[in-house]
Amino acid sequence: MKRILAALLLIASAAFAQDAAQRKGFSIHITSPPENDFVVGKTKIHAEVKADDPGDIDRVEFLVKDKVIFVDREPPYECVYDFGEESKAWVIRAVAYHREGFSVSDVVVTRKIMVESFEEVNRVILWVTVTDKSDRLVGELDKSSFKVFEDGTQQTIQEFTLEDRPITMAIVLDSSGSMRDSMPEVHEAAAQFVGTLRAQDRALVIDFDDKVFLLQDLTSDQVALKESVTSTEALGSTALYDAIHAAFRKLAGIEGRKAIVLLTDGDDTSSQFGYARVLEEAKAQNVLIYAIGLGDAKKSVLKEFSDMTGGRPFFVGKAKDLNEVYQKIAEELRRQYYISYSTNNKTWDGRFIKVEVKATNPDWSVRARRGYFAVKGSPPPGTLLEPGKKKK
């Protein structure tokens, strides 16, 4: 904390010089990560620099904990820094140097997740899918067909039912440039998938290339949803992690069963949020992820997101096979089991608590989320959605 205060005092002492520089049209602003965010793993640091003449910008230095980590001499002014696996309070500075010798700077301070921020979770809810050796869904099971383990200790199932309550869903579509040849099949398959939603279900549509767009907010209107999924055009690079993060943000705070149905054909190339950060969100939120990888999509990433949340990954070589995949997802969402139990865990130290659901029949495969932890307070700021914006 002393180092943070010292850094902030240093910034304040330079205010007069910066005011003079800004009057000349010279300024810098860190746009990512945002103030009071929490960061883990490899994270992009980005700064916007303004100058009356862009040629007057000599360089931009990025500093973490008062140490220079990168010097950039041309736009875009950004770098990637590995903040490690533990979220801490970091002081991040960016300093822009003018060719006439003066400089301007900006600073953000990230949040540290304290042990005190974790709250006791008494009731754990799981949505469970069961398939046989032929990958067929198994129905008409009862509570005695399952055993639930938490960190290896068996738990007592309290509630059990075949799930038929409404579902809230984010349909997330990759429309980066590499998807251009596949868009007609994508539009057809996604539109047919929308047609499987029941009157009580709600969905939203997120589209992404190098940016993330909210094409349709939550609605039960299938006409509006179909218009959204068929409106996308392929261009740009791939902000996959930003799109998943935005979907989590839109679904946060909504009760009941939630799912993200994601389609992409490539690896992430332009996200502001890193893989480790978004995977932590997947662990923290009870949202099923069904990730569809088309062509050269990075299988390990999509599999990890799906397996961690209790969803399922699908990998197809050609877009013509997408309709069958979407139909399988629709069928699975209609034939899941709801299980809840009261955890007997008494140690609330912020760790990730592993959960495993097993079937009493060894010939059955069971999918459910792999664990949980709970954090007090609202989700971290930083949604990347651009509401209502469609690409032309």
Side-chain angles (χ1 to χ4, degrees), residues 125-172:
I125 295 174
L126 304 168
W127 282 280
V128 180
T129 304
V130 185
T131 54
D132 62 18
K133 285 187 174 182
S134 299
D135 199 31
R136 293 177 301 219
L137 293 167
V138 179
E140 300 181 359
L141 301 179
D142 57 27
K143 184 165 65 173
S144 65
S145 301
F146 299 94
K147 294 181 179 180
V148 179
F149 297 87
E150 190 176 275
D151 282 345
T153 302
Q154 186 169 350
Q155 307 294 305
T156 300
I157 297 174
Q158 292 186 323
E159 296 176 285
F160 178 89
T161 185
L162 180 63
E163 182 61 274
D164 62 356
R165 287 170 291 187
I167 185 167
T168 305
M169 182 187 306
I171 300 172
V172 183

Side-chain angles (χ1 to χ4, degrees), residues 197-272:
L197 299 177
R198 302 165 300 173
Q200 65 267 39
D201 297 330
R202 295 189 302 161
L204 59 87
V205 179
I206 290 175
D207 164 46
F208 69 96
D209 45 33
D210 55 311
K211 292 185 177 141
V212 184
F213 304 91
L214 177 63
L215 300 189
Q216 174 61 56
D217 211 338
L218 279 172
T219 183
S220 298
D221 185 342
Q222 291 195 10
V223 174
L225 291 167
K226 289 179 180 179
E227 287 179 351
S228 297
V229 299
T230 58
S231 69
T232 57
E233 296 183 22
L235 52 91
S237 53
T238 308
L240 172 63
Y241 302 144
D242 286 355
I244 298 173
H245 166 79
F248 280 137
R249 294 281 293 163
K250 289 297 296 181
L251 295 176
I254 296 174
E255 297 295 328
R257 191 167 47 136
K258 298 177 286 188
I260 296 171
V261 180
L262 165 71
L263 169 66
T264 184
D265 75 337
D267 192 11
D268 189 287
T269 57
S270 58
S271 282
Q272 295 183 34

Side-chain angles (χ1 to χ4, degrees), residues 41-65:
K42 293 182 179 179
T43 301
K44 181 186 292 186
I45 304 172
H46 178 85
E48 295 289 343
V49 182
K50 294 182 179 180
D52 290 341
D53 181 356
D56 288 337
I57 303 171
D58 179 66
R59 69 189 186 279
V60 173
E61 293 183 355
F62 292 94
L63 302 89
V64 174
K65 295 178 66 174

Side-chain angles (χ1 to χ4, degrees), residues 233-361:
E233 296 183 22
L235 52 91
S237 53
T238 308
L240 172 63
Y241 302 144
D242 286 355
I244 298 173
H245 166 79
F248 280 137
R249 294 281 293 163
K250 289 297 296 181
L251 295 176
I254 296 174
E255 297 295 328
R257 191 167 47 136
K258 298 177 286 188
I260 296 171
V261 180
L262 165 71
L263 169 66
T264 184
D265 75 337
D267 192 11
D268 189 287
T269 57
S270 58
S271 282
Q272 295 183 34
F273 292 95
Y275 168 76
R277 159 69 184 274
V278 180
L279 184 61
E280 286 299 299
E281 289 184 292
K283 291 179 179 180
Q285 303 201 39
N286 196 1
V287 178
L288 300 159
I289 295 182
Y290 290 88
I292 308 171
L294 176 62
D296 296 328
K298 193 167 184 179
K299 293 183 178 181
S300 60
V301 168
L302 300 183
K303 187 175 187 304
E304 182 66 17
F305 278 117
S306 299
D307 290 348
M308 178 60 66
T309 62
R312 182 179 181 183
F314 294 88
F315 301 102
V316 295
K318 297 182 179 179
K320 65 181 180 64
D321 299 321
L322 288 174
N323 188 60
E324 180 181 354
V325 170
Y326 275 116
Q327 293 304 312
K328 285 183 178 180
I329 295 173
E331 182 182 4
E332 180 166 315
L333 289 171
R334 291 194 296 267
R335 299 182 63 185
Q336 290 178 323
Y337 297 97
Y338 170 95
I339 291 177
S340 74
Y341 68 92
S342 290
T343 174
N344 56 17
N345 176 62
K346 301 300 180 184
T347 305
W348 303 101
D349 54 2
R351 64 194 173 93
F352 184 72
I353 300 174
K354 295 180 180 179
V355 174
E356 184 179 11
V357 182
K358 295 182 179 180
T360 54
N361 188 328

Side-chain angles (χ1 to χ4, degrees), residues 59-127:
R59 69 189 186 279
V60 173
E61 293 183 355
F62 292 94
L63 302 89
V64 174
K65 295 178 66 174
D66 289 329
K67 290 186 178 181
V68 176
I69 60 167
F70 190 73
V71 178
D72 204 346
R73 296 187 179 275
E74 59 183 21
Y77 297 104
E78 59 188 24
C79 67
V80 175
Y81 184 75
D82 191 345
F83 289 93
E85 294 303 315
E86 182 181 354
S87 185
K88 299 179 180 180
W90 299 93
V91 176
I92 303 171
R93 293 181 61 207
V95 183
Y97 290 87
H98 197 279
R99 293 195 184 279
E100 293 181 8
F102 56 85
S103 64
V104 291
S105 65
D106 191 24
V107 62
V108 297
V109 180
T110 65
R111 288 194 296 171
K112 177 180 181 180
I113 296 181
M114 306 294 292
V115 171
E116 290 80 7
S117 70
F118 289 84
E119 65 181 1
E120 185 167 322
V121 176
N122 292 318
R123 186 163 168 259
V124 179
I125 295 174
L126 304 168
W127 282 280

